[in-house]
């Protein structure tokens, strides 16, 4: 016989646990299912561990460059990878434990540790049990894409496997020159590995404007990372030294031999083994669950939240999905996905903070626009810190005067972008921000100046 609940949540990523809290606070009886690690990708194999590792890599970089600041450390800087991993495990582990304890301590919530699978539009199996509810929330996230290789035995890492690394790869070959590949690339270069990043496209992070891609490439190459673009037919096979990646670039050397290989070529949703067909829930051709602006699937009473709905691939988009679902279901507050403005960070050093449209998207939209750009060499705080790579750029609608998008690639860019993002949410003219007085010396203090120097976008 099925066990009855008011709500079932499949997955404990960024949306599931807070939703369990809200629903149980509202007096509902909730079942939440997790088949692997509490907290999902961000907590265990994504944001939290990678940003902890980025911090260790930065410490190595600061130590190596300390002499430029008059701080003499002396000798070679060595990185103890076992300690680096232990620190990462501590930070990530405590977050994982926190989510588990939080869920297990919630009133009205039953935690099931196992694979959830739809048996019908209202029932989900887990282990030997069948659970039933009128409301079911899917928060199953995604995993790394591993393309089929001619040599099936070729050893490789994904972001998940990298979490177990407690040694220094001699030469890490990263396939994929986007956000995840770039973060791991700079991190391992700073730990002391030789690093090659192989990218199929003709530039890194192709979704960004060309000036962003080019500057990121300069930042990578300045630290001694090899970047190989136009790798049109990537393949890999075992090699006595580790792995040989066939690049077939339009460049001189067609192969790269490394000690280890990391796949960072994209993510796919965990929707293939969820029994969605038993519930009649529709996906698109890439497996992402189709939802409307309120995150409802085509089946009444079933919602899809987080990476698995293809409406965002970030921790903050998944958490925002929770906010939207909870607002509509519990608060009679008609929040929608289309209310939010795209924003994200690339956590290399210096980081990229992004909000809204790219310059290229604005140009293609055909609207009349203005653009302002300033190199970080002309930002006092960056000069004082000796970190002048990058630039800030803001694009504004010439008619409405609303800010359409911005990129801050530079020191503190991941924080400073919020100064622009928050004004975008107000839908007020950019002049509001242009007239604001900011703290000196900060990166944000130059944002009004950039807005005072806007030129027509051609
Ligand atoms: C290396 C890396 C770095 C990242 N860095 C950032 C960053 O800096 N900032 C950022 O915003 N985002 C970052 N992301 C993306 C971010 O981690 C994800 O967008 C976020 O975790 C999505 O959360 P989610 O709620 O969709 O699901 P997930 O966190 O993926 O959780 C889904 C959970 O569901 C469970 N599950 C799946 N199927 C079932 C089933 N059938 N039954 C039971 N349980 C199931 C899984 O085990 C998992 O625990 C990064 C991702 C990676 C890979």
């Amino acid at each position: 016989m099925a066990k009855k609940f008011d709500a079932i949540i499949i997955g404990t990523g960024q949306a599931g646990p807070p939703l369990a809290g809200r629903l149980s606070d509202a007096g509902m009886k909730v079942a939440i299912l997790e088949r692997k690690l509490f907290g999902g990708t961000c907590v265990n194999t994504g944001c939290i561990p990678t940003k902890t590792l980025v911090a260790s890599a930065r410490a190595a970089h600061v130590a190596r460059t300390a002499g430029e600041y008059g701080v003499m450390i002396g000798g070679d800087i060595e990185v103890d990878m076992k300690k680096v991993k232990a620190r990462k495990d501590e930070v990530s582990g405590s977050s994982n434990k926190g989510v588990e304890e939080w869920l297990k301590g919630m009133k009205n919530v039953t935690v099931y540790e196992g694979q959830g699978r739809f048996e019908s539009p209202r029932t989900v199996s887990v282990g030997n049990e069948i659970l039933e509810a009128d409301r079911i929330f899917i928060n199953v996230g995604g995993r790394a894409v591993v393309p089929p290789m001619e040599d099936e035995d070729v050893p490789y890492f994904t972001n998940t496997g990298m979490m177990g690394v407690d040694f220094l790869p001699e030469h890490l070959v990263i396939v994929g020159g986007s956000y995840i590949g770039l973060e791991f690339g700079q991190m391992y270069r700073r730990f002391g590995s030789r690093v090659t990043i192989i990218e199929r496209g003709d530039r890194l992070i192709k979704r960004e404007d060309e000036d962003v891609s080019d500057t990121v490439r300069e930042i990578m190459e300045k630290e001694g990372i090899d970047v190989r673009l136009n790798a049109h037919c990537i393949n890999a096979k075992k090699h006595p030294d580790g792995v040989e990646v066939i690049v077939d670039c339009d460049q001189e050397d067609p192969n790269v031999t490394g000690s280890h290989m990391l796949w960072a070529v994209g993510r796919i949703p965990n929707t293939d083994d969820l029994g969605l067909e038993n519930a009649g829930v529709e996906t698109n051709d890439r497996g992402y669950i189709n939802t409307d602006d309120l995150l409802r699937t085509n089946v009444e009473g079933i919602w899809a939240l987080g990476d698995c709905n293809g409406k965002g691939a970030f921790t903050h988009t998944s958490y925002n999905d929770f906010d939207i679902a909870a607002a509509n279901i519990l608060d009679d507050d008609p929040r929608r996905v289309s209310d939010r403005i795209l924003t994200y960070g690339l956590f290399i050093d210096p980081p990229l903070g992004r909000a809204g449209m790219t310059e290229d998207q604005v140009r293609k939209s055909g609207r009349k626009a203005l653009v302002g750009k300033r190199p970080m060499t002309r930002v006092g705080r960056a000069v004082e810190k000796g970190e002048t790579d990058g630039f800030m750029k803001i694009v504004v609608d010439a008619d409405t005067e609303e800010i359409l998008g911005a990129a801050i690639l530079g020191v503190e860019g991941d924080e400073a972008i919020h100064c622009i993002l928050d004004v975008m949410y107000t839908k007020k003219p950019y002049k509001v921000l242009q007239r604001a007085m900011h703290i000196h010396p900060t990166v944000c203090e130059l944002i009004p100046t950039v807005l005072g120097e806007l030129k027509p976008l051609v």
Side-chain angles (χ1 to χ4, degrees), residues 52-90:
T52 309
L53 292 169
V54 162
S56 288
R58 181 165 160 83
H61 177 72
V62 168
R64 279 194 200 104
T65 53
E68 294 168 24
Y69 296 79
V71 179
M72 310 321 287
I73 293 177
D76 282 346
I77 301 300
E78 279 183 30
V79 177
D80 180 337
M81 289 303 290
K82 289 205 167 15
K83 278 197 180 167
V84 168
K85 178 177 177 293
R87 177 174 180 275
K88 182 269 293 175
D89 287 345
E90 173 69 33

Side-chain angles (χ1 to χ4, degrees), residues 6-7 20 23-30 107-109 135 329-330:
D6 296 309
L23 295 173
S24 72
D25 284 350
M28 291 190 202
K29 199 174 150 203
V30 180
K107 226 169 69 186
N108 301 327
V109 174
R135 295 178 195 81
I329 295 164
L330 299 170

Side-chain angles (χ1 to χ4, degrees), residues 14 34-35 40-42 51 116 139-140 159 307 313-315 318:
Q14 291 300 307
E34 176 52 58
R35 70 177 177 189
T41 309
C42 182
K51 268 80 256 182
N139 179 217
V140 292
N159 64 296
D307 284 12
F314 304 102
T315 281
S318 181

Side-chain angles (χ1 to χ4, degrees), residues 143-206:
R143 61 184 186 276
V145 170
V146 178
M149 292 288 102
E150 265 168 43
D151 177 356
E152 281 177 12
D153 296 332
V154 63
Y156 66 82
F157 289 121
T158 64
N159 64 296
T160 303
M162 289 300 289
M163 296 299 117
V165 173
D166 65 353
F167 58 89
L168 193 65
E170 196 264 315
H171 181 183
L172 181 62
V173 180
I174 300 175
V175 185
S178 203
Y179 309 88
I180 293 174
L182 292 169
E183 287 180 18
F184 275 111
Q186 189 186 49
M187 179 199 301
Y188 271 84
R189 181 69 194 134
R190 289 180 168 191
F191 289 152
S193 295
R194 200 180 141 197
V195 171
T196 303
I197 297 179
I198 296 172
E199 164 58 41
R200 194 170 42 177
D202 58 1
R203 57 185 171 92
L204 298 172
I205 39 172
K206 210 158 174 187

Side-chain angles (χ1 to χ4, degrees), residues 10-16 33-48 50-51 114-117 139-142 159 163 180 183-184 267 270 273-274 305-308 312-319 345 347:
I10 310 173
T12 65
Q14 291 300 307
L33 284 55
E34 176 52 58
R35 70 177 177 189
K36 226 167 166 188
L37 296 171
F38 288 97
T41 309
C42 182
V43 165
N44 300 289
T45 60
C47 347
I48 292 182
T50 55
K51 268 80 256 182
Q115 160 90 22
R117 204 182 143 78
N139 179 217
V140 292
N159 64 296
M163 296 299 117
I180 293 174
E183 287 180 18
F184 275 111
R267 314 268 306 159
N270 292 324
D273 52 0
L274 196 53
L305 315 175
D307 284 12
C308 67
F314 304 102
T315 281
H316 46 275
T317 45
S318 181
Y319 192 86
F347 295 92

